[in-house]
């Protein structure tokens, strides 16, 4: 995880989050920001990514312990940030700096390599020479 890039924790105002919860994040030098009162749609971005993680990875894997969960989530994070296309970024993954060349390839001359992520739950495809 890229901890150095984390600066904020945005959370709702649920009473289950007490002062100790906020203090743990503030000790890590994260600023805790509360969502607006009575604004249930403010968590839409969090709900979207949580839904994507569940649909694309967790619904297909039986998690056996915390270490396994961390492994699955780290593999999904790598896939999400380096390979998975995002509509908001014109089909580029978050870690892509620029769009690759849009040259037309002779599909008969090139082979496609399939990389299985999480035992085949997710597949990534790339051209190989």
């Amino acid at each position: 995880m890229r901890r150095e890039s984390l600066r904020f924790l945005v959370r709702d105002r649920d009473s289950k989050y007490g002062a100790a919860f906020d203090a743990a994040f503030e000790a890590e030098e994260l600023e805790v920001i509360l969502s607006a009162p009575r604004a249930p749609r403010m968590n839409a971005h969090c709900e979207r990514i949580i839904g994507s993680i569940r649909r694309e990875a967790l619904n297909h894997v039986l998690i056996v312990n915390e270490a396994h969960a961390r492994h699955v989530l780290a593999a999904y994070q790598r896939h999400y940030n380096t390979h998975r296309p995002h509509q908001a970024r014109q089909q580029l993954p978050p870690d892509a700096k620029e769009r690759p060349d849009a040259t037309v390839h002779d599909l008969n001359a090139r082979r496609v390599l399939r990389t299985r992520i999480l035992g085949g739950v997710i597949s990534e495809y790339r051209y190989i020479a």
Side-chain angles (χ1 to χ4, degrees), residues 8-128:
F8 305 102
L9 169 70
V10 179
R11 70 166 183 84
D12 60 19
R13 295 173 177 267
D14 195 318
S15 61
K16 67 183 170 189
Y17 304 115
F21 182 86
D22 291 345
F25 289 96
E26 289 166 352
E28 295 292 325
E29 299 179 358
L30 291 170
E31 181 181 349
V32 177
I33 300 173
L34 300 178
S35 63
R38 298 182 181 171
R41 293 192 192 110
M42 282 195 71
N43 290 331
H45 295 285
C46 287
E47 296 297 332
R48 174 75 171 109
I49 187 62
I50 290 168
S52 292
I53 293 168
R54 284 184 179 160
R55 281 186 305 278
E56 296 176 21
L58 297 179
N59 285 352
H60 306 283
V61 178
L62 179 62
I63 304 295
V64 294
N65 58 29
E66 181 181 349
H68 185 227
R70 289 181 182 277
H71 171 76
V72 168
L73 292 173
Y76 182 78
Q77 179 185 9
R78 279 189 304 276
H79 167 73
Y80 187 89
N81 288 327
T82 61
H83 189 80
R84 185 182 182 275
H86 295 258
Q87 287 182 351
R89 298 202 70 235
Q90 288 72 46
Q91 299 305 101
L92 288 174
D95 286 349
K97 303 297 183 227
E98 59 187 40
R99 183 166 303 286
D101 292 334
T103 57
V104 177
H105 300 288
D106 178 11
L107 296 179
N108 295 326
R110 299 189 72 162
R111 293 184 22 208
V112 175
L113 174 67
R114 175 183 175 193
T115 304
R116 294 177 181 209
I117 309 296
L118 296 174
V121 171
I122 300 170
S123 294
E124 295 179 352
Y125 298 92
R126 302 184 196 289
Y127 284 114
I128 57 173

